[in-house]
Amino acid sequence: MSSKKAIVIGAGFSGLSAAATLANKGFDVTVLEKNSMAGGRARKFEAEGFTFDMGPSWYWMPDIFEDYFSYFGKKVSDYYKLDRINPSYKIYFGPGDEVVLPTELDEIYKLYESIEPGSSVGLKQFLHESEYKYRVGIGEFVRKPSHSIAEYFHWKIAAAGIKLNMLSSFGEYTRKFFKSEKINRMLEFPVLFLGGTAKTTPALYSMMNYSDMVQGTWYPENGMYAVVEAMEQLAREQGAKFVFDTEVNGFETNSGKVNAVIAGGKRWEADFIVASADYHHVEQELLDKANRKYDEKYWDSRVLSPSSMIFYLGFDTRIPKLDHHTLLFDEDFEGHADAIYKDPHWPENPSVYLSCTSRTDSNVAPEGFENVMALIPVAPGLEDTEEIRKKYLDLVLMRMERYTGQSLREHIVFERSYAHRDFEQDYHAYKGNAYGLANTLMQTAFLKPKIRNPKLKNLFYAGQLTVPGPGVPPAIISGQIAANEIINYKN
Ligand SMILES: Cc1cc2nc3c(=O)[nH]c(=O)nc-3n(C[C@H](O)[C@H](O)[C@H](O)COP(=O)(O)OP(=O)(O)OC[C@H]3O[C@@H](n4cnc5c(N)ncnc54)[C@H](O)[C@@H]3O)c2cc1C
């Protein structure tokens, strides 16, 4: 019997995971990717001796990666070397006021005590509860296809739902434990950067703080792209084939099914399709109107995660004040959040995130040089011009110089910017979004865009715009969920 053909659209993390999972179960898998390499938003590029990871830089939730490889009888260490970053990261709140997050829990308790006396007691309880959220969230919730609310009716899950504080906001929840605004900022930054304000994000997401403080921040040797390479290799080992520089332009459908995918001027016959490219693009631009579940009005009403203004900078000098991860929170945090979510506009005094992997990895910049990715989360859909980019490069350099006390402009030997226009062009990203949908309560689990197309029964979606959501670990899980829908498919 010949094996069933599966076409995966897109070779980002979700597409790679769907491809490997399906190939492992005997499907004849072909991945069609518009760009010339795998990775999607997590691609890398090399220039002038520097290597830059273009997107993700925080390796959190290491157990999800381990779990992924173990499905295939493999270990992370079979593919890449992982180091824990020590200290985890640094947050600069202003002159003489910076917080360095240690890796040891006892040291973190001491740090909290030094900011707010007595707060280590609250932190213990907070971490105890966030560990529960992590275990139940990952164990019971995150892997559900979320076709309907009924999947969550089981008493155990319903009871857990209450303990997970699904209905209270992240901001209300952390303020029950900590009075210090500085501590609240320290806990909120993953929420702000990955899509949402503390007011609109469910307290469930404090599971991220558990991963941060207890599991730690890790770094794959040679950068995050090592994970992409590992997952591509694994998918190939399972038998998946990759076709790059091949953009999908449409579908051939008949009697409620997709018969073939049209790409690169060819028909690619398929029994099943996993569309892991951006959901909005596939639905609104590749499918006929009659086969869409949602319309433009629906998409326009979604709360999107931020886009990003990114600068990849190469310096011909070392910058000792920078850590591997440095967050400059010395300006108006609330005003920046409002500029993203409340009244979308380019922020006046934004927070800036600096990733400088050459601080811990000698392979990513020439000796004595430094590679910096500077990222400002910004509202999706903003006007993105060269003039605006220049203004923000100037701002980033001013903030870096102010923080490091080093004169840096004359040391720039490489410079590239990346924002809305690039996200749209490279990934067909709706409104130039970077991380898909914001993690609001009304966009969680069964309230997210559905993983299954209701009109074309062999078309499934994967990726950060469907369940479970944005981030590398969720994208990997999303691919597994879509693949499992196909593996367990009954006519
Ligand atoms: C700047 C930035 C920083 C981030 N930081 C972190 C972080 O530190 N930690 C973390 O966990 N997560 C982070 N994320 C989020 C994480 O990178 C994403 O959630 C994840 O990579 C999304 O994977 P995906 O498979 O859903 O989508 P994508 O990576 O976008 O993959 C989709 C693929 O589909 C392809 N495609 C699109 N249209 C077509 C078409 N018509 N035909 C063929 N192919 C097509 C695209 O080229 C792309 O390769 C970050 C993201 C960005 C952008």
Side-chain angles (χ1 to χ4, degrees):
M1 210 178 77
S2 69
S3 46
K4 296 267 187 205
K5 278 197 170 69
I7 296 284
V8 176
I9 306 172
F13 278 113
S14 61
L16 289 169
S17 117
T21 309
L22 286 169
N24 177 266
K25 288 286 181 280
F27 286 80
D28 174 4
V29 180
T30 305
V31 183
L32 302 174
E33 165 58 53
K34 79 181 271 288
N35 292 323
S36 58
M37 64 200 288
R41 283 163 166 87
R43 286 178 304 152
K44 72 165 180 184
F45 73 91
E46 289 167 357
E48 318 272 340
F50 297 96
T51 302
F52 294 96
D53 280 315
M54 293 181 71
S57 54
W58 298 81
Y59 189 106
W60 278 1
M61 306 185 173
D63 53 328
I64 305 267
F65 295 85
E66 208 54 75
D67 180 75
Y68 175 73
F69 283 96
S70 74
Y71 179 84
F72 305 93
K74 305 281 186 183
K75 298 191 293 293
V76 160
S77 59
D78 294 334
Y79 293 87
Y80 53 93
K81 184 172 174 293
L82 208 50
D83 290 314
R84 185 156 181 191
I85 298 182
N86 185 5
S88 298
Y89 50 88
K90 188 152 72 176
I91 308 183
Y92 173 65
F93 288 100
D97 187 5
E98 66 183 34
V99 167
V100 178
L101 200 90
T103 51
E104 297 300 317
L105 258 185
D106 281 345
E107 296 298 315
I108 300 180
Y109 292 135
K110 280 188 205 148
L111 169 71
Y112 270 58
E113 282 292 330
S114 72
I115 302 173
E116 180 183 329
S119 62
S120 64
V121 179
L123 181 59
K124 276 185 192 131
Q125 183 59 23
F126 176 81
L127 287 178
H128 175 69
E129 292 184 16
S130 49
E131 176 174 9
Y132 175 83
K133 292 188 179 103
Y134 191 85
R135 301 271 165 246
V136 177
I138 300 299
E140 305 270 357
F141 280 79
V142 156
R143 292 177 189 277
K144 293 207 171 293
S146 296
H147 296 307
S148 84
I149 192 172
E151 288 167 41
Y152 296 83
F153 280 166
H154 189 284
W155 69 267
K156 209 173 110 197
I157 295 182
I162 295 164
K163 275 173 87 180
L164 293 171
N165 308 108
M166 289 296 275
L167 296 176
S168 57
S169 81
F170 187 93
E172 276 166 29
Y173 178 69
T174 59
R175 279 167 183 77
K176 276 195 216 154
F177 295 90
F178 310 105
K179 289 193 199 67
S180 154
E181 270 315 292
K182 189 189 279 184
I183 289 182
N184 282 295
R185 293 275 175 270
M186 286 158 59
L187 295 171
E188 274 167 24
F189 90 82
V191 163
L192 181 77
F193 274 59
L194 260 187
T197 60
K199 281 187 201 123
T200 56
T201 302
L204 167 69
Y205 287 95
S206 62
M207 69 161 109
M208 305 271 281
N209 304 109
Y210 167 77
S211 186
D212 167 9
M213 284 186 257
V214 180
Q215 296 183 320
T217 300
W218 296 79
Y219 177 72
E221 195 174 51
N222 297 323
M224 289 294 281
Y225 198 72
V227 186
V228 174
E229 285 171 331
M231 286 181 58
E232 182 182 341
Q233 186 186 330
L234 176 68
R236 287 185 191 274
E237 285 163 5
Q238 304 305 308
K241 298 178 280 290
F242 286 80
V243 185
F244 293 109
D245 297 308
T246 302
E247 174 158 348
V248 173
N249 313 112
F251 297 95
E252 188 185 289
T253 62
N254 189 15
S255 310
K257 279 186 78 176
V258 177
N259 289 342
V261 165
I262 312 300
K266 270 175 65 180
R267 279 179 84 248
W268 301 76
E269 284 186 11
D271 297 296
F272 293 100
I273 295 95
V274 177
S276 86
D278 277 33
Y279 201 130
H280 171 271
H281 161 64
V282 176
E283 243 231 336
Q284 302 295 311
E285 291 165 9
L286 304 184
L287 275 179
D288 293 339
K289 210 168 184 180
N291 289 320
R292 300 174 193 161
K293 176 172 168 62
Y294 306 106
D295 57 18
E296 280 295 348
K297 220 167 117 199
Y298 166 86
W299 285 106
D300 198 39
S301 67
R302 297 301 86 191
V303 183
L304 289 171
S305 288
S307 184
S308 300
M309 177 73 254
I310 303 172
F311 298 101
Y312 306 101
L313 305 171
F315 293 92
D316 67 359
T317 183
R318 303 297 327 240
I319 314 177
K321 272 287 271 182
L322 291 187
D323 271 15
H324 188 113
H325 298 291
T326 306
L327 296 147
L328 304 183
F329 285 1
D330 49 330
E331 287 288 353
D332 178 15
F333 198 86
E334 286 291 333
H336 186 184
D338 286 351
I340 302 173
Y341 296 104
K342 210 167 156 187
D343 168 25
H345 61 272
W346 283 95
E348 275 88 49
N349 300 304
S351 297
V352 179
Y353 161 57
L354 303 168
S355 163
C356 184
T357 56
S358 52
R359 296 304 304 159
T360 50
D361 186 345
S362 57
N363 298 323
V364 291
E367 207 185 325
F369 288 30
E370 221 79 270
N371 71 345
V372 175
M373 175 180 81
L375 182 151
I376 302 173
V378 291
L382 296 181
E383 189 189 21
D384 166 20
T385 63
E386 282 310 312
E387 210 186 346
I388 292 173
R389 292 187 184 200
K390 274 204 191 88
K391 177 181 155 190
Y392 279 87
L393 174 60
D394 197 51
L395 182 143
V396 160
L397 290 169
M398 180 273 284
R399 297 282 291 282
M400 284 181 71
E401 290 184 333
R402 193 167 80 185
Y403 169 61
T404 60
Q406 229 177 313
S407 173
L408 292 171
R409 283 164 212 261
E410 66 272 26
H411 290 289
I412 295 184
V413 290
F414 176 77
E415 163 195 329
R416 177 178 173 187
S417 64
Y418 200 95
H420 303 75
R421 278 185 281 133
D422 302 285
F423 282 107
E424 281 165 16
Q425 193 178 311
D426 289 351
Y427 312 117
H428 295 300
Y430 180 52
K431 297 186 182 176
N433 81 80
Y435 328 106
L437 293 186
N439 288 324
T440 64
L441 179 62
M442 295 313 286
Q443 298 184 157
T444 297
F446 51 87
L447 299 171
K448 278 200 192 291
K450 297 291 180 205
I451 204 148
R452 186 168 63 190
N453 181 301
K455 299 175 182 169
L456 298 166
K457 53 188 181 187
N458 57 347
L459 173 60
F460 297 84
Y461 300 93
Q464 59 180 6
L465 281 119
T466 181
V467 283
V472 176
I476 292 174
I477 291 172
S478 168
Q480 292 173 308
I481 297 174
N484 284 329
E485 288 291 296
I486 293 173
I487 292 162
N488 301 321
Y489 183 85
K490 290 190 186 69
N491 247 326

